[in-house]
Amino acid sequence: MRFDAIVVGGSFAGLAAAMQLVRARRQVAVIDAGQPRNRFSPALHGMPGQDGRSPAAILGEARAQLAAYPAATLIGGEVATAAATSDGFLVQLADGREMTAARLILAHGLTDRMPGAGAGRKLAAALAERWGHGVLHCPYCHGYETAGGPLGVLATRPDMAAHALLFTDWGPTTLLLNGIPAPDAETAARLTAAGVTIETVPVAELLGPAPGLTGIRLADGRELPMTGLFVAPEPAFTTPLPGMLGCRTETGPTGPWIATDDWGLTSVPGVYAAGDIAFPMHNASLALASGVRAGVGAHRSLVFGV
């Protein structure tokens, strides 16, 4: 099967990229493994017109709208390999199916691993069990729903101490160092002035029936009530495709991302990237916008040949 563009990933970024191309009447295949990053969350927040709806419902409607275009082909499956050819790219699925395209758009997203080094395996498993419900990562996505009650910020790296300041607009905040070195005197003073409690005793257990959360138990037996526990997961690309294709990547506190230009073009000619894998700040609205950018960029390259 030959397409103008193949989009790897069918969540917000991938569908937005594909929509631009099919509306330009280009033949596009969207290959989706059906594992969107936000599948653990019961609701999406902060996106005008969609606030409070489930990600699955939004994506279901978006796929149906895309499928209504004759130029769109939606394929369920996992991409195993992708390689440049003399006239584009060859993509092979895990089930052996092959297809080619002139352009390739990576929008496969990230997967979140719960912090385990400082937290311990038992706690990491408890965090994963509550991920997207009582255990969260983004105050802009979920802070409002936990607002008013006591919040916890579980430190997994030293820079998260200052990060705890961000949460105070949503509720009284406790910074749980959990083995991470205490913040310097200046940062500690700023936290104290903002009303942040610094807790040095490690977290032993999460309380309340999963996937919800009512509080935590510390190693010394004390129990702290909490309406939400915010953690920084360890993100990773869901597939090895960026490295396989030779895309230049960068890494920061929010994980790895693929370096792109203003049109979403990666360091590899003809390969574009969109969504959480193409930007260090992760948000569904930003993923949509970057998908539009990559889709338009890919179309322009098809027209102008660059």
Side-chain angles (χ1 to χ4, degrees):
M1 293 182 284
R2 177 73 180 179
F3 298 92
D4 290 307
I6 292 174
V7 180
V8 182
S11 190
F12 291 97
L15 295 175
M19 183 69 81
Q20 312 312 308
L21 286 157
V22 298
R23 287 185 55 79
R25 303 196 299 174
R26 294 287 184 163
Q27 295 295 318
V28 180
V30 177
I31 305 171
D32 184 39
Q35 298 291 306
R37 188 183 187 189
N38 58 10
R39 66 189 181 276
F40 302 100
S41 178
L44 180 149
H45 296 288
M47 183 183 291
Q50 303 293 346
D51 187 63
R53 299 189 64 204
S54 77
I58 299 170
L59 290 174
E61 287 186 11
R63 291 190 190 99
Q65 291 170 0
L66 181 65
Y69 287 88
T73 300
L74 276 64
I75 301 170
E78 182 178 346
V79 174
T81 64
T85 64
S86 60
D87 61 349
F89 300 91
L90 172 65
V91 171
Q92 185 178 61
L93 273 64
D95 61 12
R97 286 179 289 174
E98 292 186 347
M99 55 201 71
T100 61
R103 300 292 183 269
L104 186 62
I105 300 177
L106 302 180
H108 50 72
L110 299 168
T111 184
D112 293 307
R113 295 185 294 237
M114 292 299 103
R121 292 183 179 179
K122 182 178 178 181
L123 181 57
L127 294 171
E129 189 179 25
R130 292 165 168 80
W131 184 236
H133 295 264
V135 175
L136 307 157
H137 79 291
C138 173
Y140 297 103
C141 300
H142 305 288
Y144 189 87
E145 283 62 45
T146 63
L151 305 177
V153 176
L154 182 65
T156 54
R157 54 181 193 265
D159 65 295
M160 286 191 67
H163 189 62
L165 287 169
L166 187 65
F167 295 83
T168 56
D169 277 346
W170 284 277
T173 303
T174 298
L175 171 64
L176 302 157
L177 292 177
N178 211 53
I180 297 297
D184 59 55
E186 181 181 352
T187 301
R190 291 182 63 196
L191 290 168
T192 300
V196 176
T197 300
I198 301 174
E199 181 56 69
T200 60
V201 177
V203 177
E205 185 180 356
L206 304 188
L207 304 176
L213 179 79
T214 60
I216 63 169
R217 180 177 292 114
L218 300 175
D220 61 6
R222 285 180 294 142
E223 295 186 0
L224 306 180
M226 285 182 183
T227 57
L229 177 62
F230 288 84
V231 306
E234 300 169 1
F237 293 137
T238 58
T239 83
L241 293 180
M244 194 179 295
L245 290 160
C247 298
R248 184 170 68 86
T249 62
E250 300 182 24
T251 303
T254 58
W257 69 89
I258 302 172
T260 69
D261 70 5
D262 290 342
W263 290 108
L265 178 65
T266 72
S267 60
V268 179
V271 179
Y272 292 76
D276 289 354
I277 61 171
F279 197 66
M281 183 175 177
H282 305 154
N283 177 285
S285 298
L286 291 173
L288 272 175
S290 70
V292 171
R293 180 186 69 169
V296 172
H299 177 252
R300 288 171 59 88
S301 74
L302 290 167
V303 173
F304 297 118
V306 292

